[in-house]
Amino acid sequence: LGNWTDQQIRDGMVKGIRRDGSWILPVMPYEKYSGIAQEDLKALIAYLRSLKPVKKATPELKTWVPFVRSLGVPIFLKIFGRFNNSPPQAPQSGVERGRYLVEHVSLCGDCHTPRNSIGVPKQSLYLAGASQKIGPLGEAVPNITPDKETGIGEWKREDIAELLISGTKPDLDNVQGLMYEVIQGTTHGYKDMRKEDALAIADY
């Protein structure tokens, strides 16, 4: 991205459009990122520019359908796209802060919401997980809705916040797999979030 302008990086992140005008496949969650606050986008772009440049060519997209990006992506987005308006500033506290972090920053629904056969999230099962192994690493995905029998309805808000920061469940078991990686991060992960943000997510 070294030769991209700030606007071009922003367009890639929230519109799915490359510098040359081609489409990024919606595997990149730019629809969700479209709701990131403008001040957060600006800070994120500044952070990307602070990283050490690495010269490594991006592999060419290999597909048996050569028009999948030029025709398929716009059609897919027209039918299934859910873009959002980017507010100037993010909500600072409470349930709205939690919703913002869950839906537009941490993207919890990408793993915890089951999808249909063509990869569209089933909104009626938002955050309901799945017992079959559907996660990115072939793992079962927990239900994180407030359902008291199959979800986390019996958890206290502090329990949810503690899991996000330390990976420890109320029964003192630890999360494993991809969620563990998300919490630990490479340089930063959920473990580094503010306690207030973890509690806002719990409230949401």
Side-chain angles (χ1 to χ4, degrees), residues 2-21:
N3 290 325
W4 291 39
T5 66
D6 286 3
Q7 184 61 51
Q8 288 169 339
I9 296 175
R10 187 177 290 109
D11 287 345
M13 290 183 62
V14 304
K15 296 180 181 178
I17 300 174
R18 287 186 173 81
R19 185 172 63 155
D20 63 5

Side-chain angles (χ1 to χ4, degrees), residues 3 12 16-17 20-21 27 37 44 59 70 80 90 99 111 119 121 146 159 165-166 170 180 182 186-187:
N3 290 325
I17 300 174
D20 63 5
V27 174
L44 184 53
S70 60
F80 302 111
R99 184 191 70 78
C111 283
D159 293 335
I165 293 173
S166 73
Y180 174 82
V182 169
T186 49
T187 54

Side-chain angles (χ1 to χ4, degrees), residues 2-184:
N3 290 325
W4 291 39
T5 66
D6 286 3
Q7 184 61 51
Q8 288 169 339
I9 296 175
R10 187 177 290 109
D11 287 345
M13 290 183 62
V14 304
K15 296 180 181 178
I17 300 174
R18 287 186 173 81
R19 185 172 63 155
D20 63 5
S22 64
W23 286 98
I24 299 172
L25 294 177
V27 174
M28 161 74 175
Y30 44 82
E31 294 173 80
K32 297 294 186 184
Y33 288 152
S34 66
I36 293 181
Q38 294 170 28
E39 64 175 3
D40 286 346
L41 272 173
K42 184 177 180 180
L44 184 53
I45 292 169
Y47 170 71
L48 290 174
R49 293 203 182 282
S50 75
L51 299 176
K52 177 184 175 181
V54 176
K55 190 174 184 64
K56 183 177 183 296
T58 301
E60 288 294 323
L61 178 66
K62 294 181 179 179
T63 175
W64 59 273
V65 185
F67 55 85
V68 69
R69 253 195 278 180
S70 60
L71 294 179
V73 172
I75 292 172
F76 181 91
L77 294 175
K78 183 72 173 177
I79 299 173
F80 302 111
R82 290 173 175 262
F83 286 93
N84 299 269
N85 293 322
S86 175
Q89 295 182 319
Q92 296 302 303
S93 61
V95 173
E96 281 305 302
R97 173 71 175 177
R99 184 191 70 78
Y100 171 76
L101 294 173
V102 166
E103 295 188 357
H104 303 298
V105 179
S106 60
L107 309 187
C108 301
D110 263 22
C111 283
H112 289 275
T113 301
R115 298 171 182 266
N116 65 20
S117 59
I118 60 171
V120 179
K122 299 178 181 179
Q123 294 303 320
S124 63
L125 295 175
Y126 178 62
L127 299 182
S131 57
Q132 65 267 36
K133 298 182 183 300
I134 64 168
L137 298 181
E139 304 165 313
V141 180
N143 178 349
I144 57 172
T145 71
D147 185 86
K148 292 187 176 182
E149 292 185 10
T150 62
I152 55 175
E154 297 289 353
W155 292 28
K156 300 175 183 177
R157 67 195 293 260
E158 291 79 10
D159 293 335
I160 301 172
E162 181 63 28
L163 179 134
L164 291 170
I165 293 173
S166 73
T168 304
K169 302 176 186 179
D171 62 4
L172 301 183
D173 190 13
N174 293 323
V175 297
Q176 302 295 324
L178 187 60
M179 189 65 190
Y180 174 82
E181 294 182 22
V182 169
I183 291 170
Q184 294 303 312

